[in-house]
Amino acid sequence: MPAYSATPVFDGHNDVLLRLRRSGQADPARAFLEGEAVGHIDLPRAREGGLAGGLCALYIPSPSMTKDANGDFPTPEQAPALNETLAMARLLFDIERRSEGGLTVCRSAGDIRRAIAAGSFAAVFHIEGAEAIGADLDALHVLHQAGLRTLGPVWSRPNIFAYGVPFRFPSSPDIGPGLTDAGRNLVRACNALRILVDLSHLNENGFWDVAAISDAPLVASHSNAHALCPHSRNVTDKQLDAIRDTGGLVGINFGVLFLRRADEKEPSTGIEALLDHIDYIATRIGIDYVALGSDFDGTMIPAVMGDCRGLKLIIEGLRSRGYDATALAKVTHENWLRVLETTWGR
Ligand SMILES: [Zn+2]
């Protein structure tokens, strides 16, 4: 297989496993390997688009999308969440086994570098919302042995660990309480196992609680600048500064919901809005702390991008805004690799 081109993209968040699981196809692994006409990512399109790898989320949807009396999405129970997590992990490993080297589940930064050099999609086993894990953390330890390397304690709903920030616009991310005692134990256990703790769906209190406990860089894998789009899922200037101070990063989310100043899902949102978020964060905290976190297959992206083959528009856009090769490498993959190397160890 050919190595990826000069500017491979390692991306902080995709939901391709969820899309494949929900597609109802008899052989979703084959659909990924051979390619299909729907969604944002499959292996042929990733190769064509220079998408060299990323964090592949195992996310368990709420049992219903009807909000409860508190305005929150209902939280899945642990047993069905664990069952579904195992099914999604199996799908990822099936894809790896059948890919003939086309996809590698990576457990170290070295694995990622080698996979990218070999032209193999560098997939990282990520959990978004830790409902599959009980307060005893047994499942955390077992899943880590299976390859789990990054974890968001919550999606945008409450669980036993923390309170996920609800989707609100315009709104501060300061909604609800911080980590529970179980949540603090989870963060300490992740630090000990060197699992990256992803802050993207935490509310502000949870963010600062993790900041106070964690010995690892602070990372929001798929969030944008609150100063440009005042959505509750985006990070404030103060949070950005804390991310910089720990050597962490923010992965820019391509979702139109998190890009625009107005509260509307508008697919006509252009690439410029996305580039503005990169510029803003690079200007405020530095080029070393901004990366990509597309949310491919999990959200509505600018229609002009189409799917992951539209990554070239971002690279071209950054070039035309004066980003040189070094800056481009940082935004597209080097910053992620640095943060993962620091968090996981060499
Ligand atoms: Zn998400």
Side-chain angles (χ1 to χ4, degrees):
M1 265 163 292
Y4 280 99
S5 57
T7 315
V9 172
F10 183 87
D11 177 63
H13 191 89
N14 74 70
D15 285 297
V16 68
L17 296 170
L18 176 70
R19 181 177 70 72
L20 292 168
R21 281 284 294 167
R22 283 180 149 182
S23 69
Q25 301 174 82
D27 190 351
R30 180 173 167 182
F32 179 84
L33 293 168
E34 295 185 356
E36 52 188 340
V38 298
H40 298 148
I41 301 181
D42 52 42
L43 195 52
R45 283 183 288 174
R47 288 204 176 113
E48 198 182 329
L51 178 62
L55 275 56
C56 295
L58 279 67
Y59 160 72
I60 312 303
S62 285
S64 132
M65 287 311 271
T66 307
K67 292 180 183 176
D68 66 16
N70 296 325
D72 294 318
F73 293 115
T75 305
E77 299 289 331
Q78 191 200 348
L82 181 56
N83 284 343
E84 181 59 19
T85 295
L86 295 177
M88 290 178 84
R90 179 192 168 169
L91 173 57
L92 177 62
F93 294 128
D94 278 351
I95 290 171
E96 180 184 40
R97 181 172 47 81
R98 289 166 57 185
S99 72
E100 297 173 352
L103 178 143
T104 305
V105 180
C106 296
R107 293 169 172 79
S108 68
D111 284 353
I112 297 174
R113 290 192 191 278
R114 282 187 290 276
I116 292 175
S120 179
F121 187 93
V124 172
F125 179 170
H126 168 74
I127 283 184
E128 180 177 40
E131 285 82 14
I133 298 166
D136 55 24
L137 306 182
D138 289 347
L140 178 77
H141 287 263
V142 174
L143 291 168
H144 173 257
Q145 284 295 323
L148 174 69
R149 289 294 178 273
T150 81
L151 173 143
V154 278
W155 185 67
S156 288
R157 63 195 169 204
N159 67 19
I160 62 169
F161 301 114
Y163 188 86
V165 71
F167 290 88
R168 289 191 195 158
F169 181 99
S171 170
S172 141
D174 186 10
I175 305 170
L179 297 182
T180 63
D181 288 345
R184 280 184 267 275
N185 286 338
L186 175 68
V187 171
R188 288 190 195 100
C190 285
N191 279 174
L193 292 167
R194 310 198 84 154
I195 294 171
L196 180 144
V197 176
D198 179 18
L199 303 167
S200 262
H201 283 269
L202 269 174
N203 63 14
E204 193 167 356
N205 282 321
F207 180 99
W208 294 117
D209 283 348
V210 174
I213 295 171
S214 179
D215 61 13
L218 297 176
V219 171
S221 69
H222 58 306
S223 293
N224 293 341
H226 196 271
L228 298 189
C229 170
H231 194 290
S232 57
R233 275 273 286 102
N234 288 339
V235 285
T236 65
D237 286 350
K238 201 175 156 205
Q239 291 175 307
L240 286 174
D241 294 347
I243 286 167
R244 172 201 57 211
D245 291 346
T246 61
L249 66 76
V250 180
I252 295 297
N253 191 317
F254 301 177
V256 295
L257 204 56
F258 311 117
L259 291 172
R260 294 171 63 87
R261 290 176 187 275
D263 183 19
E264 50 192 9
K265 268 194 172 181
E266 183 45 75
S268 67
T269 302
I271 295 295
E272 297 302 317
L274 201 162
L275 301 176
D276 288 346
H277 281 269
I278 297 174
D279 269 349
Y280 181 85
I281 295 174
T283 303
R284 180 171 178 96
I285 62 171
I287 190 73
D288 291 329
Y289 312 106
V290 59
L292 301 179
S294 68
D295 219 344
F296 280 141
D297 282 327
T299 194
M300 180 194 285
I301 65 172
V304 65
M305 284 194 75
D307 54 33
C308 64
R309 292 171 293 186
L311 283 168
K312 62 178 182 296
L313 298 178
I314 295 176
I315 292 167
E316 286 164 8
L318 290 174
R319 271 202 196 103
S320 70
R321 287 188 182 205
Y323 287 63
D324 62 16
T326 306
L328 267 178
K330 287 181 175 186
V331 174
T332 55
H333 57 278
E334 280 299 339
N335 288 340
W336 262 118
L337 281 160
R338 180 198 79 238
V339 165
L340 293 174
E341 218 152 53
T342 308
T343 307
W344 295 346
R346 284 172 191 273

